[in-house]
Structure formats: structure tokens, C-alpha cells
Amino acid sequence: MTPVHDRTAWLQGGKAVCLQPPTRVDRIWRLVLLGPPGSGKGTQAELLAHSLGACALSTGDVFRAARGHPAPPGSAMAVAQEQMARGELVTDNSVLALIRERGRCLRCSGGFMLDGFPRTLAQAEAIDALLVAENLQLDAVVSYELPTPEIIARLSGRRTCPACKSVFHVETCPPKREAVCDRCGGALVQREDDRPEAIQVRLEAYQSATVPLAAHYQKKGLLFPISAAGLPAEILARTLDALAIRVLGL
Ligand code: AP5
């Protein structure tokens, strides 16, 4: 569960400087992780970070981290947090401003994995343009697939640690002590957007806004659909196999 990078700078916003030197890697990986809410993108992002050395960057984590620093009412961040709590997507402009602010994370020599970004066609086109401008290329867009009943079970039982961002599940990945984080001892909570009414809104937003991205990346030959069923280690192995075969040609 120990992260490869502390992601402190990523979570603190544009001006923060990353103090963690990039992990030495044999190959720099630049990936996008797609998939419905609760399919396990965040879980896989942490596992992949260990295997590949690239930093896992989640836009959802940034918006949640900002909650600890109350934004002025009506400000873009305050509006973004309200949208997020309801399960709605945050506006493209707010998300893109955030990504541009942290452009140096995209240029990191350790690589990156984008978890939860892009999630609209406008965001995908903006990141395409940003990467072209930086002369960088994506290696793959891994699209995790899971049936809806399993998604709902994963989201309903998820518990997270607001302090260190560790993720647990009351049945499939319970903490050693009930409601206490194994990593830092913090009190585990249920995310506001894991309430049933917000889950429904998120699933609808995923269908209408994010599913079209699959076709966008399919046309570019970057889309790798992966089943997200089974144990996290099994899904990781499937992902690494797909990357080895289709990207490295092994
Ligand atoms: P975000 O935080 O990105 O949420 P999400 O995409 O909805 O994904 P989740 O974090 O809910 O799930 P996950 O797939 O990472 O699953 P996890 O690994 O935790 O975004 C939240 C909100 O922020 C959005 O709704 C939106 O409002 C806003 N936002 C963020 N980015 C945005 C953007 N670019 N544009 C607009 N708005 C944006 O796993 C889930 C549970 O399942 C856990 O309990 C875990 O322990 C368990 N689990 C994981 N793998 C397995 C397994 N293999 N078997 C059994 N259990 C498992």
C-alpha cells in the first residue's frame, strides 16, 4: 500500500514543487486509466505505480484534497466540490486549468498514469494538444470493464482514509481494525459520492460523457480493454501482460 511517490505536489496545486525524485525506470510509461466509477482504477493505479515506477495522478484526489482547505463560496473550487459531492462531472474548464497548472507532472521523467482524466471528449482533445506541444506520447489507454452490479457493490463498501488516501473495502479489502486505516491509523470514512443517489448520477455521467472516449482512443490504436473482474493482483497481471505484448511487442 505504500505509494511510489507521495503525490504531495500534485495534490497541493500548481505552485507546489515535487520534492520526490522520479523513480529510476528502464522505460518511461505514460498511461491513461479509463473505466466506470468503482471499477478499480485507483487500486490498479497504485499497483501499477509500484510495477512501472510512474506516478499515479488522480483529478478526483485533487478535488477531494482541496476540501481540507475550504474554498471561498462561489469560487471555481467550491463549485467543483459541490458538483463532485452530487456525483456530477466538474466542468471541463476547471479540470483543464488544474491539469495545465500541473503540466510539470506530465513532463516528469518517471512517467505518469492519469486516473480519472480525461473523462470527456473535450478533455481528451485538450490533453492530446498538450502532449503534442510537449512532444510526448501516450503509450496506452487502459479501459477497465466491470458489470454494473459489481460496480455498485464495490462503491457501496468502499472506505477511504482522508489523511493518506488509502482505499479499503468492508468485505473484499477490510482494514485490520474496523474503520481504522492500516497505513496511518486515520479514521476511515465513506466518500460523499458513494451514497446511492450520487452513484446513480456518476454512472449516468460515465455513460454519456466518458464512454465516447473509448472510440476516440480506439481510432488512435491506443485502447486496451481489460476485464476488471477478479482479484486486484489478477487484474494487474492482465494489465502488465497487455502492455508487454501490445506496447513492448514481447
Ligand atoms: P474519482 O475519484 O476519479 O472517482 P471515479 O472515477 O468515479 O472512480 P472511483 O475513485 O470511484 O473508483 P475507482 O475506479 O478508482 O475504484 P477504486 O480503486 O477506489 O472522481 C470523483 C469525482 O470527481 C467525479 O465523480 C467528478 O465529480 C470529479 N472528477 C474527477 N475527475 C474529473 C474530470 N476529469 N472531469 C470532471 N470531473 C472530474 O475501487 C473501488 C472499491 O472497490 C474500493 O473499495 C476497492 O477496495 C474495491 N476494489 C478495487 N479493486 C477490487 C477488486 N479487484 N475486487 C474487489 N474489490 C475491489
Side-chain angles (χ1 to χ4, degrees), residues 1-4 7 31 33 40-56 113 115 144 173 183 230-240 243:
M1 299 283 277
T2 312
V4 173
R7 287 187 297 163
L31 305 175
L33 305 186
K41 301 178 297 297
T43 302
Q44 291 303 314
E46 288 296 327
L47 296 173
L48 285 165
H50 281 281
S51 298
L52 305 177
C55 207
M113 275 173 293
D115 162 13
Y144 290 111
C173 181
R183 190 192 281 171
L231 296 172
E234 293 168 346
I235 302 159
L236 173 69
R238 250 175 246 149
T239 310
L240 293 174
L243 294 175

Short mmCIF file of all heavy atoms in Angstrom, two decimals, residues 1-4 7 31 33 40-56 113 115 144 173 183 230-240 243:
data_model
loop_
_atom_site.label_atom_id
_atom_site.label_comp_id
_atom_site.label_asym_id
_atom_site.label_seq_id
_atom_site.Cartn_x
_atom_site.Cartn_y
_atom_site.Cartn_z
N MET A 1 0.81 -1.22 0.00
CA MET A 1 0.00 0.00 0.00
C MET A 1 0.85 1.27 0.00
O MET A 1 0.32 2.35 -0.13
CB MET A 1 -0.92 0.02 1.22
CG MET A 1 -1.92 -1.12 1.29
SD MET A 1 -3.30 -0.88 0.18
CE MET A 1 -4.33 0.18 1.18
N THR A 2 2.17 1.13 0.21
CA THR A 2 2.99 2.34 0.23
C THR A 2 3.13 2.92 -1.17
O THR A 2 3.47 2.20 -2.10
CB THR A 2 4.41 2.03 0.74
OG1 THR A 2 4.27 1.26 1.91
CG2 THR A 2 5.20 3.29 1.02
N PRO A 3 2.81 4.21 -1.36
CA PRO A 3 2.88 4.74 -2.71
C PRO A 3 4.32 4.93 -3.17
O PRO A 3 5.21 5.18 -2.36
CB PRO A 3 2.17 6.10 -2.59
CG PRO A 3 2.27 6.46 -1.16
CD PRO A 3 2.40 5.19 -0.37
N VAL A 4 4.54 4.82 -4.48
CA VAL A 4 5.87 5.04 -5.03
C VAL A 4 6.25 6.51 -4.86
O VAL A 4 7.36 6.85 -4.52
CB VAL A 4 5.89 4.63 -6.51
CG1 VAL A 4 7.22 5.02 -7.15
CG2 VAL A 4 5.68 3.14 -6.64
N ARG A 7 2.98 12.16 -4.07
CA ARG A 7 1.99 12.94 -4.82
C ARG A 7 1.60 14.23 -4.11
O ARG A 7 0.58 14.83 -4.41
CB ARG A 7 0.72 12.12 -5.09
CG ARG A 7 0.93 11.07 -6.13
CD ARG A 7 -0.36 10.40 -6.48
NE ARG A 7 -0.93 9.71 -5.35
CZ ARG A 7 -2.18 9.31 -5.26
NH1 ARG A 7 -3.00 9.55 -6.23
NH2 ARG A 7 -2.62 8.67 -4.21
N LEU A 31 0.42 6.60 -19.32
CA LEU A 31 -0.82 5.85 -19.48
C LEU A 31 -2.02 6.67 -19.05
O LEU A 31 -1.92 7.55 -18.18
CB LEU A 31 -0.79 4.59 -18.62
CG LEU A 31 0.38 3.62 -18.80
CD1 LEU A 31 0.29 2.50 -17.77
CD2 LEU A 31 0.39 3.05 -20.22
N LEU A 33 -5.85 5.71 -17.47
CA LEU A 33 -6.69 4.62 -16.97
C LEU A 33 -8.15 5.07 -17.07
O LEU A 33 -8.55 6.05 -16.42
CB LEU A 33 -6.35 4.30 -15.51
CG LEU A 33 -4.88 3.98 -15.21
CD1 LEU A 33 -4.73 3.53 -13.75
CD2 LEU A 33 -4.32 2.90 -16.14
N GLY A 40 -12.11 0.07 -10.13
CA GLY A 40 -10.83 -0.26 -9.50
C GLY A 40 -9.64 0.46 -10.13
O GLY A 40 -8.50 0.04 -9.96
N LYS A 41 -9.90 1.59 -10.81
CA LYS A 41 -8.81 2.34 -11.44
C LYS A 41 -7.78 2.79 -10.41
O LYS A 41 -6.58 2.67 -10.62
CB LYS A 41 -9.35 3.60 -12.16
CG LYS A 41 -10.35 3.34 -13.24
CD LYS A 41 -10.85 4.63 -13.85
CE LYS A 41 -11.58 5.54 -12.87
NZ LYS A 41 -12.83 4.97 -12.32
N GLY A 42 -8.28 3.34 -9.29
CA GLY A 42 -7.38 3.85 -8.26
C GLY A 42 -6.54 2.72 -7.66
O GLY A 42 -5.35 2.87 -7.43
N THR A 43 -7.19 1.57 -7.42
CA THR A 43 -6.48 0.41 -6.87
C THR A 43 -5.39 -0.04 -7.84
O THR A 43 -4.24 -0.28 -7.45
CB THR A 43 -7.50 -0.73 -6.63
OG1 THR A 43 -8.50 -0.25 -5.74
CG2 THR A 43 -6.82 -1.96 -6.04
N GLN A 44 -5.75 -0.12 -9.11
CA GLN A 44 -4.76 -0.55 -10.12
C GLN A 44 -3.67 0.51 -10.30
O GLN A 44 -2.51 0.18 -10.54
CB GLN A 44 -5.45 -0.86 -11.46
CG GLN A 44 -6.32 -2.10 -11.41
CD GLN A 44 -5.56 -3.35 -10.97
OE1 GLN A 44 -4.47 -3.62 -11.45
NE2 GLN A 44 -6.14 -4.11 -10.04
N ALA A 45 -4.05 1.79 -10.20
CA ALA A 45 -3.06 2.86 -10.38
C ALA A 45 -1.94 2.72 -9.35
O ALA A 45 -0.76 2.84 -9.67
CB ALA A 45 -3.73 4.22 -10.27
N GLU A 46 -2.32 2.40 -8.10
CA GLU A 46 -1.30 2.23 -7.05
C GLU A 46 -0.42 1.02 -7.34
O GLU A 46 0.80 1.06 -7.18
CB GLU A 46 -1.96 2.07 -5.67
CG GLU A 46 -2.57 3.34 -5.12
CD GLU A 46 -1.55 4.44 -4.84
OE1 GLU A 46 -0.40 4.14 -4.47
OE2 GLU A 46 -1.92 5.61 -5.00
N LEU A 47 -1.05 -0.09 -7.77
CA LEU A 47 -0.27 -1.31 -8.06
C LEU A 47 0.64 -1.09 -9.27
O LEU A 47 1.81 -1.50 -9.27
CB LEU A 47 -1.23 -2.48 -8.31
CG LEU A 47 -2.10 -2.91 -7.12
CD1 LEU A 47 -3.12 -3.97 -7.54
CD2 LEU A 47 -1.22 -3.45 -6.00
N LEU A 48 0.11 -0.43 -10.29
CA LEU A 48 0.91 -0.16 -11.49
C LEU A 48 2.07 0.78 -11.17
O LEU A 48 3.16 0.67 -11.74
CB LEU A 48 0.04 0.43 -12.59
CG LEU A 48 -0.90 -0.57 -13.30
CD1 LEU A 48 -1.98 0.17 -14.09
CD2 LEU A 48 -0.10 -1.49 -14.22
N ALA A 49 1.82 1.72 -10.25
CA ALA A 49 2.88 2.66 -9.88
C ALA A 49 4.08 1.89 -9.32
O ALA A 49 5.23 2.20 -9.61
CB ALA A 49 2.36 3.67 -8.86
N HIS A 50 3.80 0.87 -8.52
CA HIS A 50 4.89 0.04 -7.98
C HIS A 50 5.60 -0.73 -9.08
O HIS A 50 6.82 -0.87 -9.07
CB HIS A 50 4.35 -0.94 -6.94
CG HIS A 50 4.11 -0.30 -5.62
ND1 HIS A 50 5.11 -0.06 -4.73
CD2 HIS A 50 2.98 0.16 -5.06
CE1 HIS A 50 4.61 0.53 -3.66
NE2 HIS A 50 3.32 0.68 -3.84
N SER A 51 4.81 -1.25 -10.02
CA SER A 51 5.40 -2.11 -11.06
C SER A 51 6.16 -1.30 -12.11
O SER A 51 7.18 -1.74 -12.62
CB SER A 51 4.31 -2.91 -11.78
OG SER A 51 3.66 -3.74 -10.88
N LEU A 52 5.63 -0.14 -12.46
CA LEU A 52 6.17 0.61 -13.60
C LEU A 52 6.95 1.85 -13.19
O LEU A 52 7.67 2.43 -14.02
CB LEU A 52 5.04 1.02 -14.55
CG LEU A 52 4.14 -0.12 -15.08
CD1 LEU A 52 3.02 0.45 -15.95
CD2 LEU A 52 4.96 -1.13 -15.87
N GLY A 53 6.79 2.27 -11.93
CA GLY A 53 7.53 3.44 -11.46
C GLY A 53 6.89 4.77 -11.78
O GLY A 53 7.35 5.80 -11.30
N ALA A 54 5.84 4.77 -12.58
CA ALA A 54 5.21 6.05 -12.96
C ALA A 54 4.28 6.52 -11.83
O ALA A 54 3.72 5.71 -11.10
CB ALA A 54 4.40 5.86 -14.25
N CYS A 55 4.12 7.83 -11.72
CA CYS A 55 3.30 8.42 -10.67
C CYS A 55 1.82 8.32 -11.06
O CYS A 55 1.47 8.59 -12.21
CB CYS A 55 3.70 9.88 -10.53
SG CYS A 55 3.42 10.53 -8.91
N ALA A 56 0.97 7.91 -10.11
CA ALA A 56 -0.47 7.83 -10.37
C ALA A 56 -1.12 9.16 -10.00
O ALA A 56 -1.03 9.59 -8.86
CB ALA A 56 -1.07 6.71 -9.54
N MET A 113 0.55 8.12 -14.80
CA MET A 113 -0.69 7.40 -15.10
C MET A 113 -1.83 8.31 -14.71
O MET A 113 -1.94 8.69 -13.54
CB MET A 113 -0.77 6.14 -14.25
CG MET A 113 -0.05 4.98 -14.85
SD MET A 113 -0.03 3.65 -13.70
CE MET A 113 1.01 4.32 -12.45
N ASP A 115 -5.46 8.90 -13.75
CA ASP A 115 -6.58 8.12 -13.22
C ASP A 115 -7.78 9.06 -13.09
O ASP A 115 -7.78 9.94 -12.25
CB ASP A 115 -6.14 7.53 -11.87
CG ASP A 115 -7.29 7.06 -11.00
OD1 ASP A 115 -8.43 6.95 -11.51
OD2 ASP A 115 -7.06 6.82 -9.81
N TYR A 144 -10.77 -0.27 -18.03
CA TYR A 144 -11.24 -1.36 -17.16
C TYR A 144 -12.74 -1.53 -17.30
O TYR A 144 -13.49 -0.54 -17.28
CB TYR A 144 -10.85 -1.07 -15.70
CG TYR A 144 -9.36 -1.20 -15.49
CD1 TYR A 144 -8.56 -0.10 -15.23
CD2 TYR A 144 -8.74 -2.45 -15.61
CE1 TYR A 144 -7.19 -0.22 -15.06
CE2 TYR A 144 -7.37 -2.58 -15.44
CZ TYR A 144 -6.61 -1.47 -15.17
OH TYR A 144 -5.25 -1.61 -15.02
N CYS A 173 -11.57 -5.96 1.02
CA CYS A 173 -10.25 -5.47 1.45
C CYS A 173 -10.39 -4.72 2.77
O CYS A 173 -10.15 -3.51 2.85
CB CYS A 173 -9.68 -4.56 0.34
SG CYS A 173 -8.06 -3.91 0.69
N ARG A 183 -2.52 1.97 7.19
CA ARG A 183 -1.25 2.64 6.86
C ARG A 183 -0.91 3.74 7.86
O ARG A 183 0.23 3.83 8.32
CB ARG A 183 -1.33 3.24 5.46
CG ARG A 183 0.01 3.74 4.95
CD ARG A 183 -0.14 4.58 3.69
NE ARG A 183 -0.31 3.78 2.50
CZ ARG A 183 -0.64 4.30 1.32
NH1 ARG A 183 -0.84 5.58 1.18
NH2 ARG A 183 -0.78 3.52 0.26
N GLY A 230 -12.28 -10.06 -10.74
CA GLY A 230 -11.25 -10.89 -10.10
C GLY A 230 -10.48 -10.12 -9.05
O GLY A 230 -10.84 -8.99 -8.69
N LEU A 231 -9.40 -10.73 -8.58
CA LEU A 231 -8.59 -10.10 -7.54
C LEU A 231 -7.74 -8.98 -8.11
O LEU A 231 -7.32 -9.05 -9.28
CB LEU A 231 -7.66 -11.15 -6.89
CG LEU A 231 -8.35 -12.29 -6.15
CD1 LEU A 231 -7.33 -13.35 -5.74
CD2 LEU A 231 -9.09 -11.75 -4.94
N PRO A 232 -7.41 -7.95 -7.31
CA PRO A 232 -6.57 -6.87 -7.82
C PRO A 232 -5.27 -7.37 -8.47
O PRO A 232 -4.86 -6.88 -9.52
CB PRO A 232 -6.29 -6.03 -6.56
CG PRO A 232 -7.51 -6.23 -5.71
CD PRO A 232 -7.92 -7.65 -5.94
N ALA A 233 -4.64 -8.41 -7.85
CA ALA A 233 -3.37 -8.91 -8.41
C ALA A 233 -3.59 -9.54 -9.79
O ALA A 233 -2.71 -9.47 -10.66
CB ALA A 233 -2.74 -9.92 -7.45
N GLU A 234 -4.74 -10.17 -9.97
CA GLU A 234 -5.04 -10.79 -11.27
C GLU A 234 -5.24 -9.71 -12.34
O GLU A 234 -4.79 -9.85 -13.48
CB GLU A 234 -6.31 -11.65 -11.18
CG GLU A 234 -6.14 -12.87 -10.29
CD GLU A 234 -7.47 -13.57 -9.95
OE1 GLU A 234 -8.55 -12.97 -10.16
OE2 GLU A 234 -7.41 -14.69 -9.45
N ILE A 235 -5.90 -8.65 -11.96
CA ILE A 235 -6.16 -7.56 -12.92
C ILE A 235 -4.84 -6.86 -13.27
O ILE A 235 -4.59 -6.52 -14.43
CB ILE A 235 -7.19 -6.56 -12.32
CG1 ILE A 235 -8.47 -7.32 -11.98
CG2 ILE A 235 -7.48 -5.42 -13.28
CD1 ILE A 235 -9.33 -6.62 -10.95
N LEU A 236 -4.00 -6.70 -12.25
CA LEU A 236 -2.67 -6.11 -12.51
C LEU A 236 -1.91 -6.97 -13.52
O LEU A 236 -1.33 -6.45 -14.48
CB LEU A 236 -1.88 -6.01 -11.20
CG LEU A 236 -0.43 -5.57 -11.36
CD1 LEU A 236 -0.35 -4.11 -11.79
CD2 LEU A 236 0.36 -5.77 -10.06
N ALA A 237 -1.93 -8.30 -13.30
CA ALA A 237 -1.19 -9.20 -14.20
C ALA A 237 -1.72 -9.09 -15.62
O ALA A 237 -0.95 -9.05 -16.58
CB ALA A 237 -1.28 -10.64 -13.68
N ARG A 238 -3.06 -9.02 -15.75
CA ARG A 238 -3.68 -8.87 -17.08
C ARG A 238 -3.20 -7.58 -17.75
O ARG A 238 -2.90 -7.54 -18.93
CB ARG A 238 -5.19 -8.74 -16.89
CG ARG A 238 -5.99 -9.92 -17.36
CD ARG A 238 -7.45 -9.71 -16.99
NE ARG A 238 -7.86 -10.70 -16.02
CZ ARG A 238 -8.77 -10.54 -15.08
NH1 ARG A 238 -9.42 -9.39 -14.96
NH2 ARG A 238 -9.06 -11.50 -14.25
N THR A 239 -3.13 -6.52 -16.95
CA THR A 239 -2.75 -5.21 -17.50
C THR A 239 -1.28 -5.24 -17.95
O THR A 239 -0.95 -4.80 -19.05
CB THR A 239 -2.94 -4.10 -16.43
OG1 THR A 239 -4.25 -4.22 -15.88
CG2 THR A 239 -2.73 -2.72 -17.01
N LEU A 240 -0.43 -5.79 -17.09
CA LEU A 240 1.00 -5.83 -17.43
C LEU A 240 1.24 -6.70 -18.66
O LEU A 240 2.06 -6.37 -19.52
CB LEU A 240 1.83 -6.32 -16.24
CG LEU A 240 1.86 -5.37 -15.03
CD1 LEU A 240 2.58 -6.03 -13.85
CD2 LEU A 240 2.52 -4.03 -15.39
N LEU A 243 0.24 -4.71 -21.73
CA LEU A 243 1.25 -3.68 -22.05
C LEU A 243 2.50 -4.33 -22.66
O LEU A 243 3.07 -3.82 -23.63
CB LEU A 243 1.63 -2.89 -20.80
CG LEU A 243 0.53 -2.03 -20.17
CD1 LEU A 243 1.02 -1.39 -18.87
CD2 LEU A 243 0.08 -0.93 -21.14
#
